[in-house]
Amino acid sequence: MKKNQTLMELLTGIIVLGVGIQIVCLILSKNYLYDAIGLWSGIGICCFSAIHMYRSIEDAVDLGEAGATKHVRLGDLTRMVVTLLVAGAVIYFRIGNYVTLLIGVFPLKISAYLQPITHKLLKNVKKGG
């Protein structure tokens, strides 16, 4: 579990930010379901990207320099293709709001910056203080 702690903290931050954004959408929006589908599609992309990045980097560490570079580039391409396919499907079939989908992808970066704070908060919660 120690090995995956940073990933779990990152995912926790993404979900918490997603819930916060959802609350704002509920206040500001009139088309709740349409916006929520877009938002949570973006959050899903975020979670997939975080997990895939973690696994790609973990695998790349065991490879040589040339192999690691190829592996990381292939991982980047995979994440890009999945993101474009999901976003394209949501937009093409009009099942969710593309603006909230785009907003739903931002928590990955924000959560990465807030991970040290999330680490301290979760550490304090585990201790009970």
Side-chain angles (χ1 to χ4, degrees):
M1 182 64 185
K2 183 75 171 168
K3 195 175 188 182
N4 296 333
Q5 184 175 355
T6 303
L7 177 62
M8 289 301 128
E9 292 164 354
L10 185 65
L11 292 173
T12 301
I14 290 170
I15 299 298
V16 168
L17 287 167
V19 170
I21 295 167
Q22 181 66 61
I23 291 169
V24 171
C25 285
L26 288 173
I27 294 168
L28 300 178
S29 174
K30 293 186 192 306
N31 199 348
Y32 304 126
L33 183 60
Y34 187 68
D35 290 343
I37 290 171
L39 174 66
W40 290 100
S41 297
I43 297 295
I45 292 169
C46 266
C47 291
F48 165 76
S49 294
I51 293 166
H52 190 267
M53 228 181 296
Y54 171 78
R55 300 219 184 237
S56 293
I57 291 170
E58 190 176 63
D59 292 343
V61 169
D62 296 333
L63 301 172
E65 187 175 339
T69 303
K70 282 183 185 178
H71 186 73
V72 169
R73 285 186 182 154
L74 182 62
D76 290 344
L77 182 64
T78 303
R79 285 188 297 278
M80 243 185 281
V81 168
V82 168
T83 299
L84 290 174
L85 286 175
V86 171
V90 168
I91 293 167
Y92 181 77
F93 295 112
R94 297 180 185 197
I95 56 175
N97 187 338
Y98 64 89
V99 174
T100 57
L101 184 139
L102 181 63
I103 291 169
V105 176
F106 290 144
L108 179 61
K109 188 60 111 175
I110 296 167
S111 184
Y113 286 120
L114 294 177
Q115 188 273 331
I117 296 167
T118 308
H119 175 73
K120 288 178 186 175
L121 288 172
L122 291 177
K123 193 172 166 184
N124 287 337
V125 168
K126 283 182 184 178
K127 285 183 181 179

